[in-house]
Amino acid sequence: MANEVGRPVAVDTPEEFERVAFEYIEWAKSNPVMKTITATFQGEISYLKVPHMRGMTQFGLAAHMGIGLSTLKDYGKKEEFSAIYKRVHTIMKAWNL
């Protein structure tokens, strides 16, 4: 029996990491933040809820995966996960520009 120390890993394979990361990306794209704006027309004030693009963050991805930010970054340091980690990081960064 192996001597296991620490928490079990959140994802076991790069493919699983990719699947979970893209679930988060799709969720962020499909769920904009609703903001209230004030509009005035002919002396009447209206309050309107309008959708705004939801930012994607490493904190959000880590929370979606059920892990801490440092654990997420540790995945990026592992050789087998580094390519998908960089790809997801680039997609999130580009979305937030």
Side-chain angles (χ1 to χ4, degrees):
M1 180 165 144
N3 184 12
E4 294 185 27
V5 178
R7 294 177 141 188
V9 294
V11 294
D12 294 317
T13 65
E15 295 78 19
E16 187 179 1
F17 185 96
E18 180 179 41
R19 181 187 58 75
V20 174
F22 278 93
E23 281 177 3
Y24 170 71
I25 290 169
E26 288 307 312
W27 175 84
K29 287 180 178 181
S30 301
N31 292 281
V33 175
M34 298 303 288
K35 293 189 178 181
T36 302
I37 62 167
T38 305
T40 306
F41 181 70
Q42 296 181 347
E44 290 219 15
I45 299 173
S46 300
Y47 300 96
L48 308 168
K49 290 204 178 266
V50 294
H52 285 269
M53 180 177 77
R54 181 181 297 271
M56 294 181 206
T57 66
Q58 288 187 343
F59 290 106
L61 176 58
H64 179 79
M65 295 177 87
I67 59 176
L69 181 61
S70 62
T71 303
L72 176 65
K73 290 181 177 183
D74 287 344
Y75 275 105
K77 295 174 187 173
K78 295 178 182 178
E79 185 179 333
E80 65 271 24
F81 290 90
S82 66
I84 188 58
Y85 176 85
K86 288 176 186 172
R87 181 172 172 223
V88 168
H89 183 72
T90 300
I91 289 168
M92 293 192 312
K93 212 169 175 182
W95 176 260
N96 294 327
L97 291 178

mmCIF file of all heavy atoms in Angstrom, residues 24 55-70 72-73 85 89 92 96:
data_model
loop_
_atom_site.group_PDB
_atom_site.id
_atom_site.type_symbol
_atom_site.label_atom_id
_atom_site.label_comp_id
_atom_site.label_asym_id
_atom_site.label_seq_id
_atom_site.Cartn_x
_atom_site.Cartn_y
_atom_site.Cartn_z
ATOM 1 N N TYR A 24 -15.023 25.953 -17.606
ATOM 2 C CA TYR A 24 -14.976 27.270 -16.970
ATOM 3 C C TYR A 24 -15.045 28.386 -18.015
ATOM 4 O O TYR A 24 -15.793 29.355 -17.857
ATOM 5 C CB TYR A 24 -13.699 27.420 -16.129
ATOM 6 C CG TYR A 24 -13.463 28.836 -15.649
ATOM 7 C CD1 TYR A 24 -14.269 29.399 -14.663
ATOM 8 C CD2 TYR A 24 -12.457 29.620 -16.204
ATOM 9 C CE1 TYR A 24 -14.066 30.700 -14.237
ATOM 10 C CE2 TYR A 24 -12.246 30.920 -15.784
ATOM 11 C CZ TYR A 24 -13.048 31.455 -14.792
ATOM 12 O OH TYR A 24 -12.847 32.751 -14.383
ATOM 13 N N GLY A 55 -15.093 38.737 -16.743
ATOM 14 C CA GLY A 55 -13.668 38.479 -16.849
ATOM 15 C C GLY A 55 -13.335 37.049 -16.448
ATOM 16 O O GLY A 55 -14.006 36.452 -15.608
ATOM 17 N N MET A 56 -12.323 36.497 -17.076
ATOM 18 C CA MET A 56 -11.835 35.167 -16.714
ATOM 19 C C MET A 56 -10.544 35.347 -15.943
ATOM 20 O O MET A 56 -9.666 36.097 -16.365
ATOM 21 C CB MET A 56 -11.564 34.338 -17.969
ATOM 22 C CG MET A 56 -12.771 33.998 -18.759
ATOM 23 S SD MET A 56 -12.290 33.004 -20.189
ATOM 24 C CE MET A 56 -13.628 33.389 -21.289
ATOM 25 N N THR A 57 -10.453 34.657 -14.820
ATOM 26 C CA THR A 57 -9.264 34.792 -13.987
ATOM 27 C C THR A 57 -8.729 33.427 -13.585
ATOM 28 O O THR A 57 -9.446 32.430 -13.614
ATOM 29 C CB THR A 57 -9.587 35.578 -12.697
ATOM 30 O OG1 THR A 57 -10.499 34.807 -11.902
ATOM 31 C CG2 THR A 57 -10.191 36.941 -13.004
ATOM 32 N N GLN A 58 -7.472 33.424 -13.190
ATOM 33 C CA GLN A 58 -6.891 32.196 -12.657
ATOM 34 C C GLN A 58 -7.578 31.824 -11.347
ATOM 35 O O GLN A 58 -7.776 30.650 -11.065
ATOM 36 C CB GLN A 58 -5.387 32.359 -12.455
ATOM 37 C CG GLN A 58 -4.619 32.405 -13.740
ATOM 38 C CD GLN A 58 -3.117 32.385 -13.507
ATOM 39 O OE1 GLN A 58 -2.642 32.638 -12.406
ATOM 40 N NE2 GLN A 58 -2.379 32.063 -14.541
ATOM 41 N N PHE A 59 -7.968 32.822 -10.547
ATOM 42 C CA PHE A 59 -8.694 32.546 -9.315
ATOM 43 C C PHE A 59 -10.013 31.850 -9.624
ATOM 44 O O PHE A 59 -10.395 30.893 -8.950
ATOM 45 C CB PHE A 59 -8.973 33.846 -8.549
ATOM 46 C CG PHE A 59 -7.760 34.481 -7.946
ATOM 47 C CD1 PHE A 59 -7.212 35.612 -8.509
ATOM 48 C CD2 PHE A 59 -7.160 33.947 -6.816
ATOM 49 C CE1 PHE A 59 -6.091 36.213 -7.963
ATOM 50 C CE2 PHE A 59 -6.036 34.536 -6.253
ATOM 51 C CZ PHE A 59 -5.498 35.679 -6.832
ATOM 52 N N GLY A 60 -10.720 32.347 -10.649
ATOM 53 C CA GLY A 60 -11.992 31.740 -11.036
ATOM 54 C C GLY A 60 -11.812 30.319 -11.529
ATOM 55 O O GLY A 60 -12.602 29.424 -11.194
ATOM 56 N N LEU A 61 -10.778 30.098 -12.341
ATOM 57 C CA LEU A 61 -10.500 28.754 -12.841
ATOM 58 C C LEU A 61 -10.160 27.817 -11.692
ATOM 59 O O LEU A 61 -10.665 26.698 -11.618
ATOM 60 C CB LEU A 61 -9.371 28.773 -13.870
ATOM 61 C CG LEU A 61 -8.920 27.416 -14.411
ATOM 62 C CD1 LEU A 61 -10.079 26.662 -15.059
ATOM 63 C CD2 LEU A 61 -7.777 27.595 -15.396
ATOM 64 N N ALA A 62 -9.322 28.280 -10.773
ATOM 65 C CA ALA A 62 -8.951 27.450 -9.622
ATOM 66 C C ALA A 62 -10.186 27.107 -8.793
ATOM 67 O O ALA A 62 -10.369 25.947 -8.394
ATOM 68 C CB ALA A 62 -7.907 28.166 -8.768
ATOM 69 N N ALA A 63 -11.039 28.088 -8.552
ATOM 70 C CA ALA A 63 -12.266 27.834 -7.781
ATOM 71 C C ALA A 63 -13.157 26.833 -8.505
ATOM 72 O O ALA A 63 -13.727 25.932 -7.888
ATOM 73 C CB ALA A 63 -13.012 29.141 -7.544
ATOM 74 N N HIS A 64 -13.271 26.975 -9.824
ATOM 75 C CA HIS A 64 -14.079 26.046 -10.618
ATOM 76 C C HIS A 64 -13.536 24.624 -10.501
ATOM 77 O O HIS A 64 -14.294 23.655 -10.467
ATOM 78 C CB HIS A 64 -14.111 26.488 -12.082
ATOM 79 C CG HIS A 64 -14.884 25.592 -12.970
ATOM 80 N ND1 HIS A 64 -16.256 25.617 -13.029
ATOM 81 C CD2 HIS A 64 -14.491 24.619 -13.835
ATOM 82 C CE1 HIS A 64 -16.672 24.703 -13.887
ATOM 83 N NE2 HIS A 64 -15.612 24.080 -14.387
ATOM 84 N N MET A 65 -12.223 24.510 -10.428
ATOM 85 C CA MET A 65 -11.583 23.197 -10.334
ATOM 86 C C MET A 65 -11.572 22.661 -8.902
ATOM 87 O O MET A 65 -11.232 21.508 -8.665
ATOM 88 C CB MET A 65 -10.147 23.270 -10.863
ATOM 89 C CG MET A 65 -10.064 23.587 -12.337
ATOM 90 S SD MET A 65 -8.357 23.742 -12.911
ATOM 91 C CE MET A 65 -8.017 22.026 -13.295
ATOM 92 N N GLY A 66 -11.914 23.532 -7.930
ATOM 93 C CA GLY A 66 -11.920 23.111 -6.539
ATOM 94 C C GLY A 66 -10.531 23.038 -5.923
ATOM 95 O O GLY A 66 -10.283 22.236 -5.027
ATOM 96 N N ILE A 67 -9.625 23.886 -6.422
ATOM 97 C CA ILE A 67 -8.241 23.903 -5.925
ATOM 98 C C ILE A 67 -7.836 25.341 -5.629
ATOM 99 O O ILE A 67 -8.537 26.284 -5.982
ATOM 100 C CB ILE A 67 -7.261 23.285 -6.957
ATOM 101 C CG1 ILE A 67 -7.314 24.049 -8.291
ATOM 102 C CG2 ILE A 67 -7.550 21.801 -7.166
ATOM 103 C CD1 ILE A 67 -6.318 23.566 -9.339
ATOM 104 N N GLY A 68 -6.702 25.502 -4.997
ATOM 105 C CA GLY A 68 -6.158 26.833 -4.735
ATOM 106 C C GLY A 68 -5.359 27.341 -5.916
ATOM 107 O O GLY A 68 -4.970 26.577 -6.810
ATOM 108 N N LEU A 69 -5.083 28.638 -5.906
ATOM 109 C CA LEU A 69 -4.325 29.254 -6.995
ATOM 110 C C LEU A 69 -2.918 28.664 -7.100
ATOM 111 O O LEU A 69 -2.437 28.404 -8.208
ATOM 112 C CB LEU A 69 -4.256 30.767 -6.798
ATOM 113 C CG LEU A 69 -3.522 31.554 -7.872
ATOM 114 C CD1 LEU A 69 -4.193 31.367 -9.239
ATOM 115 C CD2 LEU A 69 -3.458 33.024 -7.519
ATOM 116 N N SER A 70 -2.274 28.423 -5.982
ATOM 117 C CA SER A 70 -0.917 27.868 -6.039
ATOM 118 C C SER A 70 -0.917 26.465 -6.639
ATOM 119 O O SER A 70 -0.003 26.102 -7.379
ATOM 120 C CB SER A 70 -0.264 27.864 -4.658
ATOM 121 O OG SER A 70 -0.998 27.053 -3.766
ATOM 122 N N LEU A 72 -3.102 25.399 -8.883
ATOM 123 C CA LEU A 72 -3.307 25.596 -10.324
ATOM 124 C C LEU A 72 -1.973 25.927 -10.996
ATOM 125 O O LEU A 72 -1.638 25.354 -12.037
ATOM 126 C CB LEU A 72 -4.311 26.723 -10.567
ATOM 127 C CG LEU A 72 -4.551 27.096 -12.030
ATOM 128 C CD1 LEU A 72 -5.187 25.948 -12.803
ATOM 129 C CD2 LEU A 72 -5.403 28.351 -12.133
ATOM 130 N N LYS A 73 -1.221 26.825 -10.396
ATOM 131 C CA LYS A 73 0.077 27.205 -10.969
ATOM 132 C C LYS A 73 1.061 26.037 -10.960
ATOM 133 O O LYS A 73 1.897 25.927 -11.849
ATOM 134 C CB LYS A 73 0.647 28.409 -10.231
ATOM 135 C CG LYS A 73 -0.152 29.679 -10.522
ATOM 136 C CD LYS A 73 0.423 30.882 -9.804
ATOM 137 C CE LYS A 73 -0.347 32.130 -10.185
ATOM 138 N NZ LYS A 73 0.210 33.333 -9.571
ATOM 139 N N TYR A 85 -1.915 24.297 -19.919
ATOM 140 C CA TYR A 85 -1.986 25.407 -18.963
ATOM 141 C C TYR A 85 -1.706 26.728 -19.680
ATOM 142 O O TYR A 85 -2.437 27.704 -19.504
ATOM 143 C CB TYR A 85 -0.989 25.194 -17.821
ATOM 144 C CG TYR A 85 -0.937 26.337 -16.847
ATOM 145 C CD1 TYR A 85 -1.831 26.418 -15.785
ATOM 146 C CD2 TYR A 85 0.013 27.358 -16.983
ATOM 147 C CE1 TYR A 85 -1.782 27.474 -14.893
ATOM 148 C CE2 TYR A 85 0.065 28.408 -16.098
ATOM 149 C CZ TYR A 85 -0.836 28.463 -15.051
ATOM 150 O OH TYR A 85 -0.798 29.513 -14.174
ATOM 151 N N HIS A 89 -4.310 29.788 -20.209
ATOM 152 C CA HIS A 89 -3.902 31.091 -19.679
ATOM 153 C C HIS A 89 -3.948 32.158 -20.779
ATOM 154 O O HIS A 89 -4.437 33.271 -20.553
ATOM 155 C CB HIS A 89 -2.500 30.988 -19.081
ATOM 156 C CG HIS A 89 -2.024 32.242 -18.442
ATOM 157 N ND1 HIS A 89 -2.526 32.703 -17.254
ATOM 158 C CD2 HIS A 89 -1.101 33.147 -18.843
ATOM 159 C CE1 HIS A 89 -1.928 33.849 -16.954
ATOM 160 N NE2 HIS A 89 -1.056 34.126 -17.903
ATOM 161 N N MET A 92 -7.619 33.045 -21.632
ATOM 162 C CA MET A 92 -8.206 33.901 -20.602
ATOM 163 C C MET A 92 -7.657 35.321 -20.671
ATOM 164 O O MET A 92 -8.396 36.291 -20.542
ATOM 165 C CB MET A 92 -7.980 33.299 -19.207
ATOM 166 C CG MET A 92 -8.737 32.013 -18.982
ATOM 167 S SD MET A 92 -8.797 31.403 -17.276
ATOM 168 C CE MET A 92 -7.113 31.511 -16.746
ATOM 169 N N ASN A 96 -9.774 38.952 -21.656
ATOM 170 C CA ASN A 96 -9.846 40.085 -20.736
ATOM 171 C C ASN A 96 -9.303 41.396 -21.302
ATOM 172 O O ASN A 96 -9.377 42.420 -20.646
ATOM 173 C CB ASN A 96 -9.116 39.756 -19.425
ATOM 174 C CG ASN A 96 -9.823 38.661 -18.663
ATOM 175 O OD1 ASN A 96 -11.039 38.540 -18.699
ATOM 176 N ND2 ASN A 96 -9.060 37.843 -17.972
#
